[in-house]
Structure formats: structure tokens, C-alpha cells
Amino acid sequence: GLADRLQGTMQKIRGKGKVNEADVKEMMRDVRLALLEADVNFKVVKDFVKRVNERAVGQEVLKSLTPGQQVIKVVKEELTELMGGEQSKIAASSRPPTVIMMVGLQGAGKTTTTGKLANLLRKKYNRKPVLVAADIYRPAAIKQLETLGNQLSMPVFSLGDQVSPVEIARQAIEKAKEEHNDYVLIDTAGRLHVDENLMGELKNIKELTKPDEIFLVVDAMTGQDAVNVAQSFNEQLGLTGVVLTKLDGDTRGGAALSIRAVTDTPIKFVGMGEKLDAIEAFHPERMASRILGMGDVLTLIEKAQANVDEEKAKELEKKMRTATFTFDDFLDQLGQVRNMGPLDDIIKMLPGANKIKGIDNMSIDEKQIGHVEAIIRSMNKHEKENPEIINAGRRKRIAKGSGTSIQEVNRLLKQFDEMKKMMKQVTNMQKGKKKGGMKF
Ligand code: GDP
Ligand code: MG
């Protein structure tokens, strides 16, 4: 990924102490390749690299003490800018109902997103939406929307599959006015490819309903194709926003970059799963981090460097290699990690942490670490160096001495044992690799 590439280049540059224009050029070549690999549109990459280059060869970077990181910072800022900088909002008509037309290819997630949006509008903005079943072609499409409406206890307007979508839309808006529904979300039909007939129908619905928003729903997994789709829909219909779905999947999000740049249409929401609450407002900065694939790793590295004693780190590494790591070393490490700040913050900065469900609400029990420290402090020197001698009697004493429970002592001993085993395995693997005796 982009992060790996850049880190490799950064490593080289760090060793140099000074950075010149050639170094920056080399770095930018890496950035360029990585963006192309991440599925970013060719022309977008070209413009982007040019802009970053202009900033990167400037004083801002060359004179800084950490040029590698400075370049990444510039890259991240420019990526954010490319995706629209600030996030944009959803329209609210001064003469309700606000009409939103959902368009896109088959399977992109239109129907699901219609439900998610309605849910969001009610939950977050206290609105009263109605869902409109205007996909009369796909078998069971109407049923699918009705099921969603049921799940949400929200009205679904449908006239079956024998009335034209334009007429369905017209009547739905009439009814919404009577029922005081302030948002009308029209779920339209899709096709496997962009298709003239479909576009004609969508244009008719647009003409008649004069929608406040036309949201294109695109599947982020389709990468570069999503950009082409967005371009044709935009040319034909004039989009007001894009919803990028399936970002919970294994996608880098490169499509997000190009969509904004190619169509000049903002991404307004992202879909993060199949459930009805799996929708989020689009945050360009978060997406930039995702594309860089490194969470807030840079901050983390900086913090670690400021707090971890280099000598100690080397010593530790050696101990790990030789598997002579003791409880005293463990205690030492805990202390160093603690110096970096509250554990919650540190964990959230780890790459991939944003994918962990509920991480924002998570709080690491600092008390638990306190317990671990207390347990280790209650061991004597002999025990710390030879944990295998800690029998039932000793466990009881340690638990008592540390003010914890025997279960907690047991757990720690077990974890420590597993950790040592793992270190041994890694060490053996590395030995094997050096001898060339082991293949991966
Ligand atoms: P439509 O043909 O455009 O109406 O697409 P649907 O709404 O029927 O969705 C197609 C499939 O994609 C369904 O199985 C959805 O559950 C799934 N889907 C939609 N949005 C997301 C998303 O954000 N993440 C994941 N993982 N699946 C999604
Ligand atoms: Mg559908």
C-alpha cells in the first residue's frame, strides 16, 4: 500500500539527515504509483502529484527536520482537499417535501441506502420521510423496500409494478403533502450497465419531480468503474451527490478520490455495512487517512520515539530474540507505553482501528493495567525470572499482595507464557529464514 511504500522511502531519507529535490522526486514517484494502484484516475493522479510537488519542493518540507513525514502531511492535506475538504450537507427544501432521487446501477445498494437515509433523517434530523417504490422491473424490488419500511416503521408508497415510475413518483409526492411527510425518497430501478432506456426514464422522473437531490449510489468495490459510472450518470442527470457503499469491504477507497475530481460532485455519505444504521456522513480527512492506510500512525510513531528509550528498545529486542524476556522487562514496557498517554488514544491511532466496531465508545480499563503492574510487583526476583515456579501457593500470595484475585494472576501468567512461546516461534522462523531453510 501507499503507506508501506512511503515508509520505505522515508526510511532512506531519515538516514540521510538532509533532503534534496531529487529525494522528494523519488518520493513523489512512489506516491504516484501507489495512487494508481489504489485505483485513482490517471489524470487525477497527474494533477495531484503536480500540486504536491510544488508544495513539497518548497521550503516547508526541505527545511523541516522530518521531511519524510512532512511530505506525507502534504499528501494527506492535498488528498483531503481533492475529496472536497469540508463535508457537505443534505438539502432541505423551503417548500417541503424535499425530494431525493436515488439512482445507480443494479446491486450498488440503492434500496438499502434509501432505507438507511430515511433512518438517518428521522434519527438525526427528526424528519418524517416516506419511501417510494419506483423500481418496477426487478422482481421483488417493491417487496424489498416494503420490508425495509416495516423494519423502520416507516411508510412505503407503492402502486405495484403496472404503473409507470414517473406516475408513481408523482402520486407519491401528492400523498406526502397530504400526510405531511417532509422527505420523499424515491428508490429507482438500476441496470447492470448504463443504459439509454433507463436514463430516459430517470430523466422523466427528474423533469416531473424536480428533485432537490439526485444521489448516485455507487459500490466502492468496483473501483475505477465506479468513476466511469459516476461520470455518465452525472452527464445525463446532473447529480447533486454521491453515496459510496460497501466501504466496510476490502477497498482502499481510491474511487472516492477520483469521483470528486472527475465529476465535481461531492460524496455525501458512505455505506459501511448491510444494517440500516450503517451509514455515515463522508469525511474527506478520514478517507485520506484510509487511503494512506495508516490510521494516525505518524502521530503514533512520533509519540513512541519521544518516549521509548532507544538503548532500552535495543536491549528489549535482543531479549525477545533470545527469548530471555522476563516479567521485569514486561513491567518496563508497560511503563513506557503508559508514558505515551491514555491507552484509549493510542489504540485508536493504530492502523485498522477504525474498522473495529464500537472503537469510538471503547474505553480501555486503565485499572486493569494497574492490576498487572501490581501483580508483577508482588512477585519476588526469582519468580519474575522463572515464572514456571509460581505454583498455587505462590499465586495465592501474589494475589493477596497485589490486592487482586487468583484468576487475574492466572490470566497474566498464561498470557505471559503464550507471549514467550510466540517470541520463540518468531525467533525460530527468522533463524530458518536466514539459513534459507524455510519457505514462506
Ligand atoms: P440496489 O440494486 O442498488 O437497490 O442494491 P441493494 O440495496 O438491493 O443492495 C445490494 C446488496 O448490497 C444487498 O445485499 C445489500 O445488503 C448490500 N449492501 C448495500 N449497501 C452495503 C454496504 O454499505 N455494505 C455492505 N457490506 N453491503 C451493502
Ligand atoms: Mg433496488
Side-chain angles (χ1 to χ4, degrees):
L2 184 49
D4 302 334
R5 280 179 183 283
L6 292 182
Q7 259 145 31
T9 322
M10 262 166 60
Q11 215 76 33
K12 265 187 262 166
I13 283 178
R14 269 221 194 88
K16 279 190 169 176
K18 263 194 180 168
V19 176
N20 56 33
E21 267 185 50
D23 295 327
V24 173
K25 272 230 172 72
E26 193 189 331
M27 244 194 279
M28 287 319 295
R29 206 192 52 212
D30 289 346
V31 171
R32 195 179 141 269
L33 281 175
L35 287 176
L36 288 172
E37 263 175 27
D39 242 349
V40 182
N41 179 285
F42 180 77
K43 193 176 170 318
V44 174
V45 172
K46 205 173 143 209
D47 294 347
F48 177 79
V49 168
K50 189 166 161 256
R51 253 197 330 280
V52 175
N53 243 330
E54 278 162 14
R55 281 184 65 186
V57 295
Q59 301 298 319
E60 184 185 359
V61 168
L62 294 183
K63 283 262 164 76
S64 87
L65 290 174
T66 51
Q69 298 181 14
Q70 208 58 33
V71 169
I72 295 204
K73 188 165 155 271
V74 172
V75 169
K76 195 177 156 188
E77 280 168 13
E78 290 291 335
L79 282 181
T80 306
E81 197 49 43
L82 191 63
M83 288 183 288
E86 294 288 295
Q87 67 181 102
S88 41
K89 296 197 176 65
I90 198 163
S93 171
S94 54
R95 286 167 49 221
T98 304
V99 176
I100 301 181
M101 221 177 128
M102 309 293 290
V103 302
L105 295 186
Q106 191 168 312
K110 287 180 301 300
T111 307
T112 315
T113 306
T114 305
K116 287 177 179 178
L117 260 187
N119 189 28
L120 189 78
L121 281 165
R122 180 175 61 189
K123 242 171 53 185
K124 197 166 165 210
Y125 302 98
N126 218 6
R127 300 295 190 173
K128 263 185 71 187
V130 56
L131 312 176
V132 183
D135 177 1
I136 59 169
Y137 307 106
R138 195 180 189 181
I142 299 174
K143 193 92 212 293
Q144 187 190 355
L145 196 69
E146 281 172 346
T147 306
L148 288 178
N150 264 335
Q151 275 174 271
L152 293 165
S153 309
M154 232 177 243
V156 175
F157 185 89
S158 144
L159 294 173
D161 58 7
Q162 299 301 309
V163 181
S164 78
V166 181
E167 182 59 19
I168 294 172
R170 194 186 66 76
Q171 292 195 31
I173 293 171
E174 284 310 305
K175 178 101 182 288
K177 284 178 187 159
E178 287 166 25
E179 305 278 328
H180 302 289
N181 289 112
D182 48 11
Y183 274 82
V184 175
L185 306 184
I186 306 172
D187 180 32
T188 67
R191 297 279 195 280
L192 290 174
H193 305 282
V194 176
D195 162 311
E196 283 311 310
N197 281 337
L198 174 69
M199 284 301 173
E201 177 178 304
L202 295 176
K203 277 181 199 163
N204 288 341
I205 299 178
K206 175 185 175 181
E207 204 116 302
L208 184 112
T209 63
K210 307 263 180 318
D212 301 279
E213 300 265 25
I214 302 180
F215 284 165
L216 174 71
V217 179
V218 279
D219 179 342
M221 305 282 277
T222 58
Q224 201 51 50
D225 224 29
V227 183
N228 299 332
V229 169
Q231 199 161 16
S232 10
F233 271 86
N234 191 41
E235 276 164 14
Q236 308 246 12
L237 291 170
L239 303 171
T240 63
V242 171
V243 181
L244 205 55
T245 61
K246 309 188 193 180
L247 265 175
D248 50 313
D250 185 24
T251 164
R252 276 277 174 193
L257 278 179
S258 328
I259 284 175
R260 170 69 205 232
V262 169
T263 65
D264 202 28
T265 307
I267 295 172
K268 297 213 172 178
F269 297 95
V270 291
M272 305 289 294
E274 301 201 25
K275 295 228 176 82
L276 285 173
D277 57 1
I279 188 166
E280 293 173 11
F282 177 67
H283 296 283
E285 204 192 322
R286 278 186 215 163
M287 185 59 81
S289 291
R290 181 185 176 122
I291 288 165
L292 286 166
M294 58 183 180
D296 281 329
V297 135
L298 291 179
T299 327
L300 192 63
I301 292 172
E302 276 163 24
K303 279 198 168 196
Q305 279 176 341
N307 286 292
V308 176
D309 187 328
E310 280 226 0
E311 280 301 300
K312 269 193 179 162
K314 265 191 198 142
E315 203 180 304
L316 196 70
E317 199 199 73
K318 191 175 159 216
K319 281 183 167 169
M320 285 196 175
R321 259 191 287 116
T322 52
T324 53
F325 189 77
T326 69
F327 265 118
D328 267 326
D329 301 320
F330 192 52
L331 204 56
D332 228 60
Q333 259 214 313
L334 273 184
Q336 295 204 5
V337 169
R338 277 192 137 182
N339 285 340
M340 286 165 69
L343 261 192
D344 302 36
D345 293 350
I346 294 170
I347 291 198
K348 277 173 204 158
M349 280 188 269
L350 294 174
N354 56 344
K355 283 197 200 146
I356 301 171
K357 268 219 165 97
I359 188 122
D360 282 332
N361 309 317
M362 193 168 88
S363 109
I364 305 293
D365 196 352
E366 300 268 341
K367 243 196 248 155
Q368 239 174 22
I369 297 192
H371 284 190
V372 168
E373 282 179 352
I375 291 171
I376 299 176
R377 292 220 160 87
S378 295
M379 297 175 186
N380 62 36
K381 193 167 180 307
H382 200 46
E383 286 164 345
K384 278 185 210 163
E385 282 162 14
N386 309 285
E388 60 281 356
I389 67 165
I390 306 180
N391 58 17
R394 289 175 190 259
R395 286 175 197 218
K396 206 165 156 192
R397 192 204 79 235
I398 292 168
K400 216 166 162 209
S402 57
T404 62
S405 66
I406 296 186
Q407 285 88 331
E408 278 178 282
V409 176
N410 286 342
R411 201 184 315 137
L412 178 63
L413 286 171
K414 190 158 169 249
Q415 281 169 348
F416 190 75
D417 188 50
E418 274 163 11
M419 202 167 91
K420 277 190 89 163
K421 273 191 201 135
M422 222 167 66
M423 283 180 195
K424 227 181 221 149
Q425 268 175 16
V426 172
T427 313
N428 286 342
M429 262 185 339
Q430 280 170 348
K431 274 186 203 152
K433 210 172 170 182
K434 269 186 198 132
K435 275 191 249 150
M438 207 181 231
K439 292 252 152 55
F440 290 91

